[in-house]
Amino acid sequence: MRVSSSVFASFCLIFELFGLALFLRGFFPVPVKSSFSSKSKLSDLPAEPLAGNGPNASKVPPPLFKRVVIVLIDALREDFVFGPNGAKYMPYTRHLVERGSTHSFVAKARAPTVTMPRIKALTTGSIPGFIDVVMNLNSPALYEDNLLWQAKTAGKRIIFYGDDTWVRLFPKHFLEYDGTTSFFVSDYTEVDNNVTRHLDSTLKRDDWDMLILHYLGLDHIGHISGPHSSLVGPKLLEMDDVLKKIHAALISRETEGSLPNLLVLCGDHGMSETGSHGGSSDPEINTPLVLISPAFKRKVGMEKPSVVEQVDLAPTLLLSLGLPISQNSVGRLIAPVFEGTPLREQLRYLHLNGHQLSCLLRDSTVEYQKEEGYELFRVAEKSHGSWMKLYLEGNTSEVLGNMGRKVLRQYLEALRAMSAALSRQMGKYDMYSMVVGTILLMQTLLLLLLAMPEALSGCAVVDVPVGTALGSLPFYLLCLLCGALHVALCTSAGSSCYFCALPWALVFAVIACSAALLCALVAMAARRLPPGSKSPTKSSSPGWELSELDVLLLAGTVGHTLSLGASSFVEEEHQSWYFLLNTLCLAVFQDVCRKYFRERRRRASQGGGPDSEDDEPLLPSCKENRPLPSIAPGDDPDSSPLAHLGVSRGSEKWLALATPPLTLACCRLLRSLNQTGVQWAHLPDLSHWLNRGTVEARFVYVFVLGILFTGAKDLLRSQLVSAEARLRSRGLWEVYSGVVLLVALLLRAHNLPTLAACLLVQSLMAQFIWKRLHYDAAQTTIMHYWFGQAFFYFQGNSNNIATVDISVGFVGLESYVEAPAIFLTALSTYAGPLLWACHLVCYLSSERDRSSVALGHGCYCFALLRSVPAVFYVLLVTVLRYHLFIWSVFSPKLLYEAMHTLVTALICIFFTFMDQSPPSSRA
């Protein structure tokens, strides 16, 4: 089957997307869960350990608190409360922390630090899967055992106001609720007023047992202007007043003889130095946790907060309310909360927590008995039984107290070890789905590599032996073998597998496609081998001559791909692209000097004219045997591209020489615009200065005036200069202009210089470098790809999810609409690669001296450039799946690679559409 290069490349990327999706589904593990589908019940709790045959006391300790109020402030960093400015911006809260009846902690959240997974962690005590970062946009109902389900089952009445993510996660759990849209980040005032307006009436009522408030304003301010914005201080003061009001109301309703109330102040995640979140930096994972209740001892001064895990809050609240711990919780009790209770009750609380963790460990680990925490728990449980025996016998000696405190320490150590073991596991990889996805990806990459000579040939047509493969005996044998292997694996697998759960028709289609690809690969490889012992000659297989630029582009692409094997290079990937781009500019500058100086002198000495070098390509790899299209009278292909502006050929030479240094200067300036990555992200950059309101406005005005001037100039030229233009080329440039205007609308004001520099570099490189040096389509495509990658980081992006600017998803929208918000966010994030890809299509289509297969070559090169790092990275994360930084560094990069592959597939489909134009439009 013969297909064009663009169709072939698009098909390969689509097939690659399916393999990548299957790999992602297997790689991001399902969180550790108990094998029991039912929820925990009070009747299922174990009895107190007791040595001997005495009657077991199965009594559950009574609840410690009557009412609980949870105030969750989205994106509340721990330094906002415990830091130097805490006393200034949250004075009442800081007073309680230093002098009140409180316990203060730094609660560490786990990546991904986005709202929905953090709410799951706070309510279930489990560590959500990393893929929940995608589900954060549309949170489904949570059916897992959790704090709210246990409280509702026990008859407790729950009221909620705030982020409507809670309403979607816990439908029918609330006696009363009022949700607010969490993604409309431009609103940081009404979104909190809508919560606070209910407080006065609700705090006076007696018909509730649990009140949950989720404030979003601080998070929205962070997304808009960062943690150091002048808006942060007033917002924290507002939150401090809310906490003061709630605390005063709870104290006023305390009655003698009844249980005390509990007020909890916490954050779901922190905020990075840029105001976003999602990653694993300290400002994003460190959140304050302040527990306020008359049951606690009053503090006498500021103490350094202890460090706990965010998942520890769920089991602590559940047991303090007299409820069983949720089955899938990996948290451990926060011991200071229970230190005021009798020693017997403290040991009982710890025993219940240890029993729950040991059951979860037993369900999720085959060799659980060899786990250190499980052995420590058994030892502590046995010691607890001995202590209970002495206690029930009425022993009141000091030995009993010392023994009890020893058992307490044993329990705490066992809980720490079991919780750490479960947290490390996080889930189970679906290796079968990962392997199938990897095989599909590798087959696609090999297919692209084997098709390179045909895809980049003069006709740009690839002969894929599909018919031969489908009619061969090995194809049917492979289908039978893979089908049998699939049945054997799925019937013998001890755990659930996503690929096994797919419909059989879809599985068979995947197996058939994979077998056909393998047969086609063998056929294409055999076709590339010389017949017999005869080696291929230039007549049968024309060789490729690599120039210095070709070697640089090849070495740079391969070197960048290999650099992804180091976590530091993943975190600071922008530095790799900055280095490659600078090197490319120097290499281009060398080519320009060779064209205008060395080659001029050489040709002049051979008797040629001083300008004869403009008549043919100079670079060895660019001398294509292609017919030049017919040229209309008056259209001299050798005329200067700026002749209509009155620029002489001599001036054009100096402009060409100035283009690479000017590009280098622009890139250096853009590097200073947005500090990205991890190591130096905290350093000040130009965006901090440009974010001041008046400067922002001036940049917007200047940029808009520049667009108006450019448009007016083009209109005047179209009216005063008579020139024929092909309809397709004009339409492409109009589409490109529309994309530029949309990107200008979405980018933050301080990033508008990035867009202006992008347009400037594109214009200079097109007029003076690519056109005058006659670079071929493959070289031009690789350069566009490199520039697109570099401008992705010039925008301030990184391989950290926290740098995704979700605020652009609401430009022009009055409320949150999911599809447009996702589209606008993706467009803004990948604006750099998209602009350079669109420019490539326009440039290759509008060049009169380009071969008619240039678009096909460009599409193929784009597909290959994306496939090589994607497949390499999939193999890499499979090998490093137990690496220390797999969730903090490598997993976010994997999501970026998948999204970038999707964007590239869409670009290649657009290439294919433009490449299918009739031949008359190519002229």
Short mmCIF file of all heavy atoms in Angstrom, two decimals, residues 110-112 130 278-281 285 426 567 570-571 678 799-801 873 883-893:
data_model
loop_
_atom_site.label_atom_id
_atom_site.label_comp_id
_atom_site.label_asym_id
_atom_site.label_seq_id
_atom_site.Cartn_x
_atom_site.Cartn_y
_atom_site.Cartn_z
N ARG A 110 1.22 15.07 49.38
CA ARG A 110 1.95 14.33 48.37
C ARG A 110 1.59 14.85 46.98
O ARG A 110 0.48 15.30 46.74
CB ARG A 110 1.60 12.84 48.45
CG ARG A 110 2.04 12.15 49.72
CD ARG A 110 3.56 12.03 49.78
NE ARG A 110 3.99 11.24 50.93
CZ ARG A 110 4.34 9.96 50.85
NH1 ARG A 110 4.31 9.34 49.68
NH2 ARG A 110 4.72 9.30 51.92
N ALA A 111 2.55 14.78 46.07
CA ALA A 111 2.27 15.13 44.67
C ALA A 111 1.27 14.11 44.10
O ALA A 111 1.33 12.93 44.45
CB ALA A 111 3.56 15.13 43.85
N PRO A 112 0.33 14.53 43.26
CA PRO A 112 0.17 15.86 42.69
C PRO A 112 -0.59 16.78 43.64
O PRO A 112 -1.62 16.41 44.20
CB PRO A 112 -0.65 15.60 41.42
CG PRO A 112 -1.47 14.40 41.76
CD PRO A 112 -0.62 13.56 42.67
N PHE A 130 -1.72 9.26 40.82
CA PHE A 130 -1.22 10.46 40.15
C PHE A 130 -2.14 10.88 39.00
O PHE A 130 -2.21 12.04 38.64
CB PHE A 130 0.19 10.20 39.62
CG PHE A 130 1.00 11.44 39.47
CD1 PHE A 130 1.82 11.89 40.49
CD2 PHE A 130 0.95 12.19 38.31
CE1 PHE A 130 2.57 13.03 40.35
CE2 PHE A 130 1.70 13.33 38.16
CZ PHE A 130 2.51 13.76 39.18
N GLY A 278 0.82 21.85 42.03
CA GLY A 278 0.75 20.59 41.30
C GLY A 278 2.02 19.79 41.43
O GLY A 278 2.02 18.58 41.25
N GLY A 279 3.14 20.47 41.75
CA GLY A 279 4.42 19.80 41.86
C GLY A 279 4.75 19.36 43.27
O GLY A 279 3.88 19.21 44.12
N SER A 280 6.03 19.20 43.53
CA SER A 280 6.46 18.67 44.83
C SER A 280 7.52 19.54 45.50
O SER A 280 8.30 19.05 46.32
CB SER A 280 7.03 17.25 44.63
OG SER A 280 8.08 17.26 43.68
N SER A 281 7.56 20.82 45.17
CA SER A 281 8.48 21.72 45.88
C SER A 281 7.95 21.98 47.29
O SER A 281 6.76 21.80 47.56
CB SER A 281 8.62 23.04 45.11
OG SER A 281 7.39 23.74 45.07
N ILE A 285 4.04 21.58 48.99
CA ILE A 285 3.62 20.42 49.78
C ILE A 285 3.48 20.72 51.27
O ILE A 285 2.82 19.97 51.99
CB ILE A 285 4.59 19.23 49.59
CG1 ILE A 285 5.97 19.57 50.14
CG2 ILE A 285 4.68 18.84 48.13
CD1 ILE A 285 6.94 18.40 50.13
N MET A 426 2.15 2.91 47.23
CA MET A 426 1.25 3.81 46.52
C MET A 426 0.28 3.10 45.59
O MET A 426 -0.81 3.58 45.35
CB MET A 426 2.02 4.87 45.73
CG MET A 426 2.66 5.93 46.59
SD MET A 426 3.40 7.24 45.61
CE MET A 426 1.97 7.96 44.84
N SER A 567 17.34 12.74 36.22
CA SER A 567 16.27 13.55 36.83
C SER A 567 16.61 15.03 36.80
O SER A 567 15.72 15.88 36.61
CB SER A 567 16.02 13.09 38.27
OG SER A 567 17.20 13.24 39.06
N VAL A 570 15.80 16.43 33.48
CA VAL A 570 14.35 16.56 33.29
C VAL A 570 13.85 17.81 33.98
O VAL A 570 13.06 18.57 33.42
CB VAL A 570 13.63 15.30 33.83
CG1 VAL A 570 12.11 15.51 33.80
CG2 VAL A 570 14.00 14.08 33.01
N GLU A 571 14.31 18.04 35.21
CA GLU A 571 13.89 19.24 35.94
C GLU A 571 14.35 20.52 35.25
O GLU A 571 13.63 21.52 35.26
CB GLU A 571 14.44 19.20 37.36
CG GLU A 571 13.82 18.13 38.24
CD GLU A 571 14.44 18.10 39.63
OE1 GLU A 571 15.63 18.46 39.75
OE2 GLU A 571 13.75 17.72 40.58
N VAL A 678 13.56 24.13 38.42
CA VAL A 678 13.48 23.91 39.86
C VAL A 678 14.57 24.67 40.61
O VAL A 678 14.30 25.40 41.57
CB VAL A 678 13.56 22.40 40.19
CG1 VAL A 678 13.61 22.18 41.70
CG2 VAL A 678 12.40 21.65 39.58
N ASN A 799 8.71 21.18 33.27
CA ASN A 799 8.15 19.83 33.38
C ASN A 799 7.45 19.61 34.71
O ASN A 799 7.27 18.48 35.15
CB ASN A 799 9.26 18.78 33.19
CG ASN A 799 9.77 18.76 31.76
OD1 ASN A 799 8.99 18.92 30.83
ND2 ASN A 799 11.06 18.58 31.59
N ASN A 800 7.07 20.70 35.35
CA ASN A 800 6.32 20.67 36.60
C ASN A 800 4.88 21.09 36.31
O ASN A 800 4.64 22.08 35.62
CB ASN A 800 6.96 21.64 37.60
CG ASN A 800 6.42 21.47 39.00
OD1 ASN A 800 5.28 21.06 39.19
ND2 ASN A 800 7.24 21.79 39.98
N ILE A 801 3.93 20.34 36.81
CA ILE A 801 2.53 20.64 36.56
C ILE A 801 2.14 22.00 37.11
O ILE A 801 1.21 22.65 36.62
CB ILE A 801 1.64 19.53 37.16
CG1 ILE A 801 1.96 18.18 36.49
CG2 ILE A 801 0.16 19.84 37.00
CD1 ILE A 801 1.22 17.02 37.08
N TYR A 873 11.44 7.73 26.40
CA TYR A 873 11.04 8.08 27.76
C TYR A 873 10.11 7.02 28.35
O TYR A 873 10.15 6.76 29.56
CB TYR A 873 10.34 9.45 27.75
CG TYR A 873 10.31 10.09 29.12
CD1 TYR A 873 11.46 10.66 29.66
CD2 TYR A 873 9.16 10.10 29.88
CE1 TYR A 873 11.45 11.23 30.92
CE2 TYR A 873 9.13 10.67 31.14
CZ TYR A 873 10.28 11.23 31.65
OH TYR A 873 10.26 11.78 32.90
N HIS A 883 12.17 4.33 41.07
CA HIS A 883 13.16 5.38 41.38
C HIS A 883 12.60 6.31 42.45
O HIS A 883 11.39 6.50 42.58
CB HIS A 883 13.49 6.16 40.11
CG HIS A 883 14.68 7.06 40.23
ND1 HIS A 883 14.60 8.32 40.79
CD2 HIS A 883 15.98 6.89 39.88
CE1 HIS A 883 15.79 8.88 40.75
NE2 HIS A 883 16.65 8.04 40.21
N LEU A 884 13.51 6.91 43.21
CA LEU A 884 13.11 7.80 44.30
C LEU A 884 12.28 8.98 43.79
O LEU A 884 11.35 9.44 44.45
CB LEU A 884 14.36 8.32 45.03
CG LEU A 884 14.14 9.30 46.17
CD1 LEU A 884 13.36 8.64 47.29
CD2 LEU A 884 15.47 9.82 46.69
N PHE A 885 12.60 9.48 42.58
CA PHE A 885 11.93 10.66 42.04
C PHE A 885 10.90 10.33 40.97
O PHE A 885 10.57 11.18 40.15
CB PHE A 885 12.97 11.63 41.45
CG PHE A 885 13.99 12.11 42.43
CD1 PHE A 885 15.33 12.15 42.10
CD2 PHE A 885 13.60 12.53 43.69
CE1 PHE A 885 16.28 12.59 43.01
CE2 PHE A 885 14.54 12.97 44.61
CZ PHE A 885 15.88 13.00 44.27
N ILE A 886 10.39 9.10 40.97
CA ILE A 886 9.49 8.70 39.89
C ILE A 886 8.21 9.52 39.88
O ILE A 886 7.69 9.89 38.83
CB ILE A 886 9.17 7.18 39.99
CG1 ILE A 886 8.37 6.72 38.77
CG2 ILE A 886 8.43 6.87 41.27
CD1 ILE A 886 9.10 6.83 37.48
N TRP A 887 7.69 9.90 41.07
CA TRP A 887 6.43 10.64 41.11
C TRP A 887 6.64 12.14 41.10
O TRP A 887 5.79 12.88 40.62
CB TRP A 887 5.62 10.23 42.36
CG TRP A 887 5.29 8.78 42.36
CD1 TRP A 887 5.70 7.84 43.25
CD2 TRP A 887 4.50 8.08 41.39
NE1 TRP A 887 5.24 6.61 42.90
CE2 TRP A 887 4.48 6.72 41.77
CE3 TRP A 887 3.82 8.47 40.23
CZ2 TRP A 887 3.81 5.76 41.02
CZ3 TRP A 887 3.15 7.51 39.49
CH2 TRP A 887 3.14 6.17 39.90
N SER A 888 7.76 12.59 41.62
CA SER A 888 7.98 14.03 41.68
C SER A 888 8.60 14.60 40.41
O SER A 888 8.37 15.76 40.08
CB SER A 888 8.87 14.37 42.88
OG SER A 888 10.12 13.72 42.77
N VAL A 889 9.38 13.80 39.67
CA VAL A 889 10.10 14.31 38.50
C VAL A 889 9.66 13.62 37.21
O VAL A 889 9.24 14.27 36.25
CB VAL A 889 11.63 14.16 38.69
CG1 VAL A 889 12.37 14.62 37.43
CG2 VAL A 889 12.10 14.94 39.90
N PHE A 890 9.76 12.30 37.18
CA PHE A 890 9.57 11.58 35.92
C PHE A 890 8.10 11.48 35.50
O PHE A 890 7.80 11.54 34.31
CB PHE A 890 10.18 10.18 36.02
CG PHE A 890 11.68 10.17 36.13
CD1 PHE A 890 12.30 9.91 37.34
CD2 PHE A 890 12.47 10.45 35.03
CE1 PHE A 890 13.67 9.92 37.46
CE2 PHE A 890 13.85 10.46 35.14
CZ PHE A 890 14.45 10.20 36.34
N SER A 891 7.19 11.30 36.46
CA SER A 891 5.77 11.16 36.09
C SER A 891 5.17 12.42 35.49
O SER A 891 4.48 12.34 34.48
CB SER A 891 4.96 10.72 37.32
OG SER A 891 5.32 9.41 37.70
N PRO A 892 5.40 13.62 36.07
CA PRO A 892 4.88 14.82 35.39
C PRO A 892 5.43 14.98 33.98
O PRO A 892 4.70 15.38 33.07
CB PRO A 892 5.34 15.97 36.31
CG PRO A 892 5.52 15.34 37.64
CD PRO A 892 6.01 13.96 37.37
N LYS A 893 6.70 14.67 33.79
CA LYS A 893 7.29 14.75 32.44
C LYS A 893 6.60 13.77 31.50
O LYS A 893 6.40 14.08 30.31
CB LYS A 893 8.79 14.46 32.53
CG LYS A 893 9.50 14.32 31.19
CD LYS A 893 9.44 15.61 30.38
CE LYS A 893 10.24 15.45 29.09
NZ LYS A 893 10.09 16.64 28.21
#
